[in-house]
Every structure is written in C-alpha cells, then in structure tokens.
Amino acid sequence: MKFKILLALIFVNLIQAQKFYFPKTTVTDSVILDKQMPQLALKVITQLQSAKYKPENKVDYLDNLFRLQMATQDYQQSIASLSENRSLFADHNMGGYRLMGFELYSRAKLAQKENNMTFSNALQKVFNQKYDRLPEKLIPRLGLSLDANVPESRKQFKKILNKQKDKDSIDYKTALALCKAYVSYKTFSGIKPQVMQLLVSKDKERFITETKDITLKNGNTLTITIVRKKQNTTPLPVILTSNIYAGQIDDFFGKRAATYNYVGAVVNTRGKRNSNNVNNPFEHESEDIYDVIDWVSKQPWSNGKVGMIGGSYLGFSQWAAVKKLHPALKTIVPQVAVGIGIDYPAQNNIFMSYMLQWIQYVTNNKLTDEADFTNAAKWDSINTKWYKSGKAFRSLDSISGKPSKIFQRWLDHPGYDQYWQKMIPYKEDFSKINIPILTTTGYYDDDQIGALYYYKEHHQYNKNADHYVVIGPYNHGGAQSFGFTYVNGNPIDPVARISIDDLAFSWFDYILKGGKKPDLLKDRINFQVMNTNTWKHVSGLDKMHTSTLKFYLQDLKNTSSVFNKPGKKDFTSQTVDFTIRDDKDTYYKSGKKDSIKTTNSIVFESEVLDKEMIFSGNISGFFNVSINKKDFDTETSLYQIQPDGKSFLLSTHMVRASYAKDNAGRKLLTPDVIEQIPVNNSIFMSKKIEKGSKLLLLVGVNKNPNWQINYGTGKNVSDETVQDAGKPLEIKWYNDSYVEIPVYKD
C-alpha cells in the first residue's frame, strides 16, 4: 500500500513539475507582469536546458535561449547566445541578420546602465556603431529585420496572456510561448520608431533613393523605386525587380543591387502603391514589363543593359518579361519561380486552398496585408469550415467573408488553357529566348515544379539554351537568399550553406560586366548531394541519375523484394468515403519517436537495403488502376526510413488523374476499367541513403482541407459538392504499377 502511495505522490510531483507558479493577477496588472516575467523565464530556462525539453536543433535551442535571457534581463548572456547563434551561419555571414533588433535592444540596455544615459541615447549610440561595422552586403537587410509589426506582436502576446485568466499556474509550453511573445513585443515597441528613423538617416549618407510614378505606353501607371550608391557616379547596368509585394521589401531589393554596384530598380505591379489600375495578379506582367525595361534602359544612370532578379512571383515576372524580349534585357535570374497554371494556383491541375489566402494578401490594399496573411488560425478555420461543410470549392471565398472575382476566374480554368498560356512563354515561344539564364530552386521549395518546368521547356524548344540551374537543400526562402544551417529540422551540409545573393550577383558580373563565371556553375545542372557534403555537375536534369530502380506496389509477404517485377498480376484494394469529414488519422510508426501519417493511403514497405545508394532526381513511373468513378486525385510520397527509425521525405507527387496525360485537355476515366496514370512533375531531391535503411512508398487519394476535393463525377471539380459523392471511391492498385527510384553512381 505504501508503495502505491509513493508512486502516486511521484506521479503528482511529475505533473506539478511541468507547471510553474504564475499568479492570475499578471493578466490584469502590468506592474506585476513585469516583475513576474523574469522569474518565469528563469524557470523556463532550467527546463529548456533539461534533456526532456532541449531541442536537438541547436539553432532552435539558441533562439529560445537568447529570448528567455532577455526576459530575465540578463542582456550580457543574451548577446552571447545571439553571437553563438550567428556563428552557426558563418559560412556566408547572413543568417543572423533577422535577429538584429534583439541585439540592438540588448546592447542598448547594457549601454544605458553602463553609461548612465537614457535608453534613447543608448539606442542611437549602439545603432550607429552596428551600422558602421556591419558588412556592406548585410545593410540592405537591416530594414527587413527591424520592420516588425508591433500591433500584431502585442496582439499575439495578449492572446497568450489572456489564456492565463483565473489561473495561478502555467505549463512549460505556454510559458515558453508567453516569454517569447513578451520579449518580441517589448523589444520592437521599444526600438522600432527610433531605429527606423536612424536607418533612413544612415542610408541617406550611402544611397540615393528615388520613388516615382511612370506612365506606360498602354496608359497604365506604375510606381518604381530606384536606388544607387552615392559613390557610383557613372552609368551602370540596372538590376530590375517586378514586385507585387509592395512595401519594405522594395527598399531591400533596390539597396541590395546598389551594394553590389548596380542600379537597383523595383517596379510595383498594377494596383500597388500609387497605381490606380486594377490589380489582377499575373495577367499583365508580360505587357507591362516590356515598357518598364524600355524606360529604365534609357535613363541617365543606366548604361543600357538590364538584368532581372527575384523569387516566387518575382521569378514568374521574369519569365513573363521574356515572352516578348526587350533588346536591353541581357539576362534573368528567376529564383523559386512560380509556374503559373503549372504548380500554382493548381499543382498538376489540383487547386489549393492557399490560393485564396494569397489573393487577399496581395489585393486587400495597396501594399500587402501582413496581418491577415499571417493569421494562420483564421485561414485554418476557413479551410476547415469549408471542408466540413461539404460545399463546392467555389464557395471558399464566400465562406471567408470576402468574395473574390480573381479566385472565381482562376477556377474557371481548371486545365492549362490559353488563359494561363498567354502569361508566360508557351512551347515555341521558348525557342526565341536566347539570353543567359540562371535558375535557383531547392529540394524543399514549394515552387520547385514551376522553376524546373521553365528549364525543361526552354531546353526542349531551344537546344542551345544558355540556361543554368542550381538546386540544393533549400526551401522557398533559402533558394532566394542563403542556405540555412537547418531546413525542416535537418542540418544541411556545410558545402550547401552558400549565399544565393553572392551567386546571383557574381552571375550578373559575368554577364553584364565581363567578369568570371561563378565557380559553382561547372555544368548546366549543379546539384548538392545531401549527406555527402559535395556538389555534382551534369548536363541535364535526366543526368542527375545514372539508373533507376522500380518499386512495385506489392507486399513483402508475397515477394522477396519489392524491386522485382511481380510474377502474377494482383491488386491492393482501397476505399475512400468522401462523405466522412472526421476521418480518424492512421500512422506508420517508423521508430521510437517518429511516425508517418498514412490517412487515405496504402503503405508499401521495401526490404532493408544491403548497401548505400544515392537517390538523385525525382520519382516517375505509372499506376495501373481501376476505379468505380470517372476521376480521382492521386497522392504519392516516398520516404527513407533511416537505420535509427527516423523518417525522411524524399519525393512527393499529386495529380488529377483525368489530366495526368495532358494538363491542357481533360480525359475522364472509364469506371471499372484498368487505366494507366503516369507519374510526372514530382519533387526532385538528391541524398545519400545509408545502408540499413528501407524505403516506404505511400500511394493514395487526396482528401484534406488544403486542396480541392475531387468527387469523381466528371463535372468541374470546383462545382462538385458532397452531394455528388455517392458511393465511396473504390480503387484497385495493380501490382504491376511502379514508381521508378532515380539512382546516381559516379
């Protein structure tokens, strides 16, 4: 009996140990709050440093630690932690710029105490010192790091704090979030107005910045920002960016080009800043940019040569620009370029819910609606509400409370038709593009499919295309800035931690100033093999692998290897009921601390690999299936299960079956007849897979709030509702279906 009581007491103590005393009066009394926060942060630090809570990712650990140290008002230690965090990015000296505001606040607090001066005077002193000592290439990023949304940070802090109403204790997770939100609000509410003024003053000593409106030949008015370095008094090549995300980022793009000794020109698209024209994203770039290039090439500060740079939508803009090529445009550097109609707003003809969030982001006002766009809870709620309602995808904008003509217009074009084709080069248009091009993208880039689509089309229609690709372990942000130390929680090889800025402007020096070609560009395709700390260089995307391994859809119970072709034809059945909106998620447990979500998927597991191999390229192949409907959306994922049980996502693919063979023309499936669905336009990656690993292949059906739901009637999917679901979807996945695994050998 005593033993049971002792166990119970230990259990109670463990539960209590996960919570901290935090009086409920802190919610309503700011004086008490400011006294309690340092004490709470000290307790959280103790837990953070314990084995249970310490993150494996050192960047995440240090990021939490320095904020907690600021909350305890130990500014000496917070600066040390910030410095250690920055040292992890020493390869390119750019990773720590985002934390500049916290460093300035900490240093100002120390200077205030040490020199017995006002905080304002201390802040001015440390800011000027930091600006003057900062590497020149980091100066353009200062504005981005300091331009925090103070009202939003206050809102987030209050939201977390109010959850503590009528409570006298707080759990570790909430306490950590509260401390971080408190520090963010205190920091930027304390420094932003002053440092932004100081930044403008210091920049005026270095740059000449002009913002003006230009009227194009077509009668439209656009706002353009031009930035030059004061010391550059002779005409220079112009680096142009066409930017729909009007705001502080315009200043960054302009100053970045100027620091690399070019003229930076940033033009905003129709309807942004001072433009009163209608803002229809993507539709008019090709027409407008030609006139913009014509204008900038004739200005006194221009030597007549123009290059373009930018990522995502700004990458798309460059491909729009070369649909009708201006003679002054000598090169483009599209980064993580949106493949309009290819990977956005639909990926392989499946529209995504995110498109509405993005439309409102860029059209709600003359700049960008950051508060609405970053309100993840709001958009999750909207998408979930639509999903659970069973209403047509076309109703999503009405459910959001803000109907959108743009959203509806996009949905009217489910195939890759002339609406999309006219926005960018199409087929033979690519044959006329004879300027040098440098594309950058990443294995984790949301627009990788689009970025590589342009490369493939360019080389298909122009055999002499002077077009290079750099692809590595970068996400959407990294492939247009710098290689982060960690991506998706995984450390990337040191050799991949390059400055994409340096690469891009070295390219501009090469093309526009007769400089040396960047060392990394040893061949057309330059890719980093993860887990080997090496780059490889080949002449084409198809050369990223030297052989393939066919992974058949079969159970290891029936074969010695999933890589052997089945001797007898068979199938695996799957049933998906679209009327059910509270699916119970299923998981594959790969290790003690890792599992893979398998809801609405069939799992095929390989044998343990008896030797290492390099997965390099993207999955392809064919699915032989029969279904009881006229259409469905496939979803495929390939994982590596490492010897320690951790999972690693290698490639994904999704496609609307009726568009799988032709993205411009829909061909419905015949119910209960075996049809072949090709696997194309999947995600590229290159990574060494260790001996003792195994591969896990998930094939299934797309059914979640983030995408359209295809009920299989054959009608426009945007108009289908749950009333169209009828009987559950029944699929037979035949075992002669296979996914080809690309393998690279030296």
Side-chain angles (χ1 to χ4, degrees):
M1 184 66 181
K2 288 182 179 180
F3 180 69
K4 289 183 179 180
I5 293 173
L6 180 61
L7 282 177
L9 287 172
I10 291 173
F11 179 74
V12 169
N13 287 335
L14 284 171
I15 295 298
Q16 291 176 342
Q18 294 174 15
K19 293 194 174 185
F20 312 109
Y21 171 69
F22 194 63
K24 54 191 172 187
T25 49
T26 55
V27 177
T28 54
D29 193 321
S30 60
V31 175
I32 295 176
L33 174 70
D34 286 337
K35 288 182 179 179
Q36 286 293 326
M37 289 306 296
Q39 298 175 39
L40 178 64
L42 279 170
K43 296 172 185 175
V44 176
I45 287 175
T46 301
Q47 292 291 89
L48 175 71
Q49 294 173 330
S50 68
K52 181 177 180 180
Y53 292 106
K54 188 173 183 178
E56 293 181 15
N57 183 326
K58 194 171 183 181
V59 172
D60 289 345
Y61 169 71
L62 290 171
D63 188 78
N64 287 333
L65 181 61
F66 89 77
R67 295 169 197 268
L68 292 169
Q69 289 166 336
M70 287 183 69
T72 67
Q73 300 174 15
D74 189 347
Y75 300 113
Q76 198 73 53
Q77 284 301 313
S78 69
I79 291 169
S81 296
L82 275 162
S83 178
E84 186 178 357
N85 188 308
R86 187 173 295 115
S87 71
L88 296 175
F89 300 89
D91 302 77
H92 44 64
N93 197 29
M94 299 180 78
Y97 83 91
R98 296 175 184 272
L99 308 177
M100 198 66 69
F102 299 105
E103 181 182 349
L104 290 173
Y105 184 90
S106 296
R107 290 192 182 279
K109 281 293 186 181
L110 285 177
Q112 178 186 16
K113 184 177 181 181
E114 292 170 0
N115 301 305
N116 194 27
M117 57 172 59
T118 65
F119 180 77
S120 178
N121 288 341
L123 182 60
Q124 181 173 350
K125 178 182 178 181
V126 299
F127 177 86
N128 288 337
Q129 288 175 342
K130 193 68 182 178
Y131 186 99
D132 292 339
R133 295 172 185 171
L134 206 62
E136 186 180 32
K137 291 172 185 176
L138 283 182
I139 284 174
R141 296 186 179 272
L142 263 181
L144 298 179
S145 65
L146 299 175
D147 190 25
N149 188 331
V150 175
E152 185 62 22
S153 67
R154 182 182 186 277
K155 180 181 175 182
Q156 292 302 315
F157 168 61
K158 287 294 185 181
K159 182 178 179 181
I160 300 170
L161 182 63
N162 288 336
K163 289 181 179 179
Q164 291 302 120
K165 189 177 181 180
D166 299 326
K167 297 179 183 177
D168 270 328
S169 64
I170 185 170
D171 62 78
Y172 170 79
K173 185 178 179 180
T174 306
L176 176 61
L178 181 65
C179 289
K180 291 170 69 173
Y182 174 78
V183 166
S184 291
Y185 172 59
K186 292 283 283 188
T187 296
F188 288 101
S189 62
I191 71 168
K192 183 179 174 181
Q194 184 178 352
V195 294
M196 295 306 284
Q197 291 176 0
L198 290 170
L199 180 59
V200 169
S201 178
K202 294 294 284 185
D203 279 350
K204 282 183 178 179
E205 299 174 9
R206 187 181 295 256
F207 304 106
I208 299 171
T209 302
E210 304 172 83
T211 299
K212 56 180 65 180
D213 298 333
I214 58 174
T215 300
L216 308 181
K217 293 175 184 177
N218 56 29
N220 292 288
T221 298
L222 305 180
T223 301
I224 191 167
T225 301
I226 302 104
V227 184
R228 295 173 284 150
K229 197 190 290 185
K230 276 189 174 181
Q231 68 186 53
N232 292 330
T233 56
T234 58
L236 291 169
V238 178
I239 304 303
L240 173 67
T241 299
S242 179
N243 182 28
I244 198 170
Y245 304 108
Q248 181 70 37
I249 195 75
D250 294 328
D251 187 55
F252 161 69
F253 288 132
K255 288 193 291 188
R256 179 179 64 173
T259 59
Y260 281 95
N261 295 306
Y262 290 87
V263 175
V266 186
V267 66
N268 298 125
T269 56
R270 293 188 193 183
K272 310 302 288 187
R273 288 199 187 269
N274 298 332
S275 171
N276 290 320
N277 302 113
V278 178
N279 179 1
N280 285 316
F282 298 103
E283 292 189 6
H284 305 292
E285 253 69 7
S286 181
E287 177 187 353
D288 291 351
I289 294 175
Y290 188 92
D291 284 355
V292 173
I293 293 172
D294 192 67
W295 184 85
V296 299
S297 67
K298 295 174 181 177
Q299 299 308 302
W301 30 258
S302 168
N303 71 355
K305 295 180 179 179
V306 179
M308 291 187 72
I309 191 173
S312 198
Y313 186 101
L314 289 61
F316 146 81
S317 294
Q318 295 167 71
W319 285 106
V322 297
K323 189 173 179 72
K324 181 185 177 184
L325 192 59
H326 192 286
L329 184 59
K330 304 302 182 183
T331 185
I332 60 173
V333 181
Q335 301 165 319
V336 297
V338 170
I340 188 64
I342 301 296
D343 69 352
Y344 180 82
Q347 184 176 131
N348 293 335
N349 300 91
I350 306 172
F351 282 107
M352 57 189 73
S353 305
Y354 167 77
M355 62 193 272
L356 180 62
Q357 182 179 354
W358 183 87
I359 289 169
Q360 294 195 16
Y361 176 48
V362 298
T363 63
N364 279 356
N365 58 46
K366 292 282 191 173
L367 299 176
T368 50
D369 193 343
E370 300 291 338
D372 183 78
F373 184 68
T374 56
N375 189 347
K378 170 190 169 179
W379 288 102
D380 285 346
S381 174
I382 290 169
N383 295 340
T384 300
K385 185 177 180 180
W386 161 74
Y387 178 77
K388 289 190 175 295
S389 74
K391 292 182 178 179
F393 189 72
R394 196 178 287 280
S395 69
L396 185 64
D397 59 338
S398 297
I399 291 173
S400 78
K402 191 167 187 177
S404 168
K405 291 181 180 179
I406 298 167
F407 178 76
Q408 295 297 329
R409 185 159 62 250
W410 288 0
L411 294 183
D412 288 339
H413 299 277
Y416 190 65
D417 60 16
Q418 288 186 352
Y419 174 75
W420 309 109
Q421 294 166 11
K422 70 179 182 181
M423 299 179 191
I424 52 175
Y426 180 65
K427 292 190 174 180
E428 283 75 16
D429 291 342
F430 283 98
S431 67
K432 302 169 187 175
I433 303 172
N434 292 311
I435 60 172
I437 297 172
L438 173 61
T439 285
T440 60
T441 183
Y443 303 141
Y444 305 97
D445 171 25
D446 299 322
D447 283 307
Q448 183 207 99
I449 290 172
L452 296 181
Y453 164 80
Y454 294 114
Y455 174 85
K456 288 183 282 189
E457 293 294 293
H458 193 194
H459 276 273
Q460 179 178 344
Y461 290 98
N462 185 342
K463 301 304 179 185
N464 298 315
D466 190 9
H467 190 159
Y468 290 78
V469 170
V470 171
I471 181 169
Y474 311 126
N475 59 18
H476 195 62
Q480 54 183 314
S481 56
F482 48 83
F484 300 112
T485 304
Y486 288 83
V487 181
N488 285 16
N490 299 308
I492 72 170
D493 293 340
V495 74
R497 299 171 198 167
I498 64 172
S499 165
I500 302 295
D501 284 356
D502 283 350
L503 173 67
F505 282 91
S506 293
W507 171 266
F508 285 134
D509 288 347
Y510 168 56
I511 301 300
L512 300 175
K513 296 182 177 179
K516 178 188 174 187
K517 185 166 75 171
D519 291 337
L520 184 59
L521 306 181
K522 291 182 170 58
D523 213 325
R524 297 299 184 195
I525 305 297
N526 306 274
F527 63 101
Q528 203 270 313
V529 184
M530 292 192 293
N531 207 24
T532 68
N533 202 35
T534 58
W535 284 87
K536 298 292 183 183
H537 315 273
V538 294
S539 59
L541 289 172
D542 59 337
K543 300 295 193 299
M544 283 181 67
H545 64 272
T546 54
S547 62
T548 60
L549 196 60
K550 291 181 179 178
F551 188 136
Y552 289 92
L553 304 194
Q554 53 185 331
D555 195 317
L556 274 177
K557 295 176 183 177
N558 304 321
T559 180
S560 60
S561 174
V562 296
F563 305 122
N564 293 334
K565 186 174 182 178
K568 179 183 177 183
K569 191 163 185 174
D570 201 353
F571 60 83
T572 301
S573 296
Q574 181 183 10
T575 301
V576 178
D577 190 340
F578 289 111
T579 65
I580 297 174
R581 291 301 151 90
D582 55 354
D583 303 81
K584 186 176 181 181
D585 288 330
T586 57
Y587 294 88
Y588 171 93
K589 191 168 180 59
S590 59
K592 292 181 179 179
K593 298 182 179 180
D594 202 358
S595 60
I596 298 168
K597 189 175 178 179
T598 59
T599 312
N600 297 315
S601 294
I602 303 292
V603 180
F604 297 95
E605 183 178 5
S606 83
E607 64 270 26
V608 174
L609 303 179
D610 59 5
K611 57 184 177 181
E612 71 175 35
M613 67 181 228
I614 293 178
F615 176 98
S616 190
N618 63 331
I619 58 174
S620 56
F622 295 93
F623 292 135
N624 293 312
V625 302
S626 66
I627 65 172
N628 62 336
K629 296 178 183 288
K630 296 179 181 179
D631 203 5
F632 78 116
D633 296 343
T634 71
E635 195 168 50
T636 307
S637 300
L638 180 70
Y639 287 86
Q640 172 197 1
I641 307 301
Q642 299 173 170
D644 62 1
K646 289 184 179 179
S647 64
F648 194 101
L649 182 60
L650 295 169
S651 186
T652 61
H653 176 260
M654 63 189 306
V655 70
R656 179 148 295 154
S658 57
Y659 281 107
K661 294 177 181 176
D662 179 3
N663 66 356
R666 192 179 190 192
K667 187 178 184 302
L668 296 173
L669 281 64
T670 303
D672 302 317
V673 172
I674 298 177
E675 305 259 12
Q676 192 170 77
I677 302 171
V679 177
N680 294 315
N681 292 329
S682 60
I683 295 299
F684 276 78
M685 181 174 283
S686 185
K687 181 183 185 290
K688 184 179 78 173
I689 296 176
E690 302 89 342
K691 175 184 176 181
S693 299
K694 55 186 174 182
L695 299 179
L696 198 73
L697 180 64
L698 273 60
V699 297
V701 179
N702 166 56
K703 181 196 171 191
N704 70 70
N706 298 321
W707 301 86
Q708 280 181 315
I709 294 178
N710 185 348
Y711 293 95
T713 65
K715 296 192 299 187
N716 185 331
V717 176
S718 296
D719 298 319
E720 289 182 313
T721 73
V722 73
Q723 304 303 319
D724 293 302
K727 295 179 180 179
L729 171 67
E730 296 178 358
I731 313 170
K732 294 178 180 177
W733 299 92
Y734 285 88
N735 62 351
D736 57 351
S737 305
Y738 61 84
V739 167
E740 285 194 279
I741 312 295
V743 179
Y744 180 87
K745 291 182 181 179
D746 285 315

